[in-house]
Amino acid sequence: MLIDNHNRTINYLRLAVTDRCNLRCNYCMPAEGINFAKNDKLLTIEELKTLSGILVGQGIDKIRITGGEPFVRKDLMELLRYLAKLDGLKDISATTNATLIGPYIDELKSLGIKNINVSLDAINKATFERITRRDQYDTVHNNLIRLISEGFNVRINFIALDGQNTQDILPILELAKHYPVSVRFLEEMPFNGGSKTFQKIAWDYKKILEHIREAHPDFYKLESPSTSTSINYKIPGHMGTFGVIPSFSRTFCGTCNRLRVSATGDVITCLYAKPSANLRDIMRSENAKSKVEEQILIAVGSRAKTGFEAQEKYRDVFSNSMTSIGG
């Protein structure tokens, strides 16, 4: 079991398999993209498998596959087949923009990987294309409805962007009215590859809730796991639910159970902190297992107590893009 220096149990790994993405969302990176890592700097599928096994042996029992866009990686299913058979791993999930997942839906279901987060920041096609800078709306919508229809546990992640998509907050809730999905509204964070900076946001989680309450005054709060980053709610008569994630306000740090490993092997113990170690070269050396275990213990044993504490220490962290950090 991994216990950090603030007595928090760490059992959840967000494992990035690539820093590449086929969309160019304007809150994540500049239009020209970022300097993606060269292939030899990325962890190989074999290294990702080995690393997953080591971390599960240390107490990780939930792994979420992220990117970039994980399905950009052509050999991703090899990793997922391995994880599906890994003793001690209780939960495998993935976060995707749903542009490329279509051909893999049947196998994901057969592997028992049914927890899928879909990043979707607009239900209006024109708004979607303006934010993503790509013409992929129909593909995303079709794959989303297919995932829902085929019994996947789908959560939609919608980042509230002032002046861009907040007019879609209420319309996207219609999905939760008609389908058993969870629509989660996230606060914007300044991890955008240096394309802009900000110290406050217009649409924090309280404003999002106030906006929804104007149309649905009878929504009520649901019980959520103590480690949940989302505060979840139900609108009477809706099949699904909605939630807010205070990703900029950071109200959930006290129960954080997460560890991130980027596609290049960086160990990240907090989104607002710099990497505390890199495992890539260690994975390619002798006695890799014991060295990785040691580095993980060191990283977990020296975590910031909150995202605000980490931000105070690492003031230049916002130059990163979420696609390079790992979703």
Side-chain angles (χ1 to χ4, degrees):
M1 186 176 294
L2 293 170
I3 307 291
D4 76 1
N5 48 314
H6 305 288
N7 204 35
R8 297 174 292 202
T9 300
I10 310 302
N11 69 322
Y12 178 13
L13 172 66
R14 298 179 68 97
L15 181 63
V17 297
T18 181
D19 64 343
R20 289 162 174 76
C21 186
N22 58 328
L23 301 183
R24 290 292 180 272
C25 297
N26 61 28
Y27 60 84
C28 185
M29 66 177 89
E32 66 274 14
I34 61 172
N35 292 322
F36 296 114
K38 296 185 183 300
N39 285 338
D40 64 345
K41 301 297 185 184
L42 299 174
L43 293 173
T44 67
I45 286 296
E46 285 302 318
E47 288 167 345
L48 288 166
K49 287 158 66 173
T50 300
L51 179 58
S52 299
I54 293 171
L55 288 168
V56 169
Q58 287 187 289
I60 294 294
D61 60 19
K62 176 179 180 179
I63 294 180
R64 175 172 293 279
I65 299 300
T66 70
E69 167 49 43
F71 289 93
V72 164
R73 187 147 182 171
K74 304 300 184 184
D75 50 3
L76 175 62
M77 294 308 297
E78 182 181 343
L79 172 62
L80 293 178
R81 292 179 202 118
Y82 169 81
L83 294 179
K85 298 178 180 178
L86 186 56
D87 289 340
L89 186 57
K90 299 175 182 177
D91 187 345
I92 308 164
S93 54
T95 296
T96 176
N97 61 32
T99 56
L100 303 171
I101 197 173
Y104 307 105
I105 289 176
D106 288 341
E107 186 173 4
L108 289 169
K109 186 190 293 188
S110 70
L111 292 173
I113 301 171
K114 301 187 73 174
N115 293 327
I116 304 294
N117 284 10
V118 175
S119 300
L120 179 63
D121 301 308
I123 198 64
N124 175 272
K125 183 175 182 178
T127 304
F128 174 91
E129 292 178 356
R130 186 166 58 250
I131 292 173
T132 64
R133 305 186 179 110
R134 295 293 185 270
D135 179 13
Q136 290 286 329
Y137 179 85
D138 291 339
T139 299
V140 169
H141 190 267
N142 290 340
N143 283 333
L144 173 64
I145 299 304
R146 184 179 166 198
L147 286 164
I148 295 168
S149 301
E150 297 200 18
F152 285 80
N153 175 29
V154 178
R155 294 188 294 193
I156 296 168
N157 288 344
F158 178 112
I159 299 176
L161 305 165
D162 187 37
Q164 294 201 68
N165 68 348
T166 53
Q167 71 279 1
D168 275 21
I169 289 175
L170 296 178
I172 204 168
L173 279 174
E174 289 295 303
L175 286 171
K177 180 177 182 180
H178 300 290
Y179 298 101
V181 300
S182 173
V183 180
R184 287 127 42 102
F185 300 100
L186 288 76
E187 296 175 339
E188 184 179 7
M189 294 182 291
F191 299 106
N192 49 53
S195 57
K196 64 176 178 176
T197 61
F198 52 88
Q199 297 298 321
K200 60 181 180 179
I201 53 175
W203 284 82
D204 64 11
Y205 74 101
K206 294 179 181 178
K207 183 171 181 178
I208 294 169
L209 287 175
E210 289 170 2
H211 181 66
I212 295 172
R213 188 174 284 112
E214 290 177 2
H216 302 284
D218 52 352
F219 74 74
Y220 57 92
K221 190 176 181 180
L222 300 171
E223 288 293 323
S224 300
S226 61
T227 55
S228 176
T229 57
S230 62
I231 309 166
N232 301 303
Y233 300 89
K234 179 83 170 178
I235 297 172
H238 282 210
M239 290 183 67
T241 62
F242 79 92
V244 289
I245 298 181
S247 40
F248 187 81
S249 300
R250 285 161 272 181
T251 62
F252 45 70
C253 294
T255 58
C256 180
N257 65 338
R258 291 159 171 76
L259 185 69
R260 280 178 165 81
V261 175
S262 76
T264 55
D266 283 335
V267 179
I268 301 170
T269 59
C270 174
L271 271 178
Y272 291 85
K274 288 288 190 181
S276 53
N278 184 275
L279 304 178
R280 183 186 59 240
D281 292 339
I282 296 174
M283 293 292 296
R284 297 173 184 178
S285 67
E286 294 182 358
N287 302 316
K289 182 176 184 293
S290 60
K291 292 177 182 176
V292 166
E293 290 173 340
E294 180 182 6
Q295 286 300 317
I296 293 296
L297 289 174
I298 292 171
V300 167
S302 55
R303 298 177 81 211
K305 187 173 184 178
T306 68
F308 296 105
E309 180 183 299
Q311 182 182 344
E312 185 68 23
K313 183 177 180 181
Y314 302 102
R315 292 184 176 273
D316 62 339
V317 69
F318 295 143
S319 62
N320 294 326
S321 165
M322 277 302 290
T323 194
S324 59
I325 296 171

